[in-house]
Amino acid sequence: MRKGIIPAILLAGFIVGSLDILLAFLSAYLQRGTTPDKVLRYIASGVFDKKAFAASNTSMIAWGLFFHYVIALGFTMIFFFIFPRIKWMAANKVITGILFGIAVWATMHFIVVPLSHTPGGGKFQLANMLKSIAILVIAIGLPLSYFANRFYSIRHIVDVNRNKPPL
């Protein structure tokens, strides 16, 4: 990998993870009055099952935050890996961000959550699905498209000036 890509991925992962969790906290509170600690316990329940909801087990809040950032970092790494390899992504940054946000939602909804111990979400509601997708597009897809484009554009300019291929 290129020099400097690790710090770029870590920073972008931290920013998108923070945006995503803040929007998740806000959405959960506005929709159901759910507090941030319960959101983080829900995330932790993916691994720890019902133990995550025990009031005495406050470490689950930290575990939930940890798992959230690990997932955000994973999606960030994937995005930074595919961005320079699919040429149209740099030319269509907004569409790329929207599509990646939808892909993150689909991955979480159809793969990660069903394979985890998190409790079921109840019956399907189109409004909730669209809200969840919007959060992921705004908090993850669009920012990652911006960060990766900026990282690789700067790298390309530097590499061209040194007469090296960008990848």
Side-chain angles (χ1 to χ4, degrees), residues 138-157:
I138 291 166
I140 295 179
L142 292 172
L144 282 182
S145 186
Y146 168 79
F147 292 134
N149 185 65
R150 182 177 165 128
F151 176 80
Y152 287 109
S153 293
I154 290 170
R155 285 297 198 215
H156 179 71
I157 291 166

Side-chain angles (χ1 to χ4, degrees), residues 2-104:
R2 306 169 145 298
K3 184 178 179 184
I5 196 168
I6 301 298
I9 288 172
L10 291 174
L11 178 61
F14 176 75
I15 290 171
V16 300
S18 298
L19 288 171
D20 182 43
I21 199 66
L22 290 173
L23 288 176
F25 289 162
L26 181 62
S27 174
Y29 182 76
L30 292 176
Q31 189 173 341
R32 298 176 298 280
T34 303
T35 57
D37 65 305
K38 289 185 176 133
V39 172
L40 293 171
R41 286 176 184 277
Y42 176 81
I43 295 167
S45 75
V47 172
F48 295 106
D49 205 4
K50 293 178 179 129
K51 288 191 304 187
F53 298 105
S56 63
N57 203 345
T58 57
S59 67
M60 291 299 135
I61 296 167
W63 278 112
L65 193 61
F66 173 76
F67 294 143
H68 171 76
Y69 276 105
V70 166
I71 292 168
L73 184 60
F75 282 118
T76 301
M77 290 169 41
I78 290 167
F79 193 86
F80 269 74
F81 178 76
I82 64 172
F83 188 84
R85 288 162 177 78
I86 302 175
K87 299 300 178 202
W88 63 264
M89 290 177 76
N92 301 291
K93 290 175 277 310
V94 173
I95 292 171
T96 296
I98 292 169
L99 291 176
F100 194 72
I102 293 168
V104 169

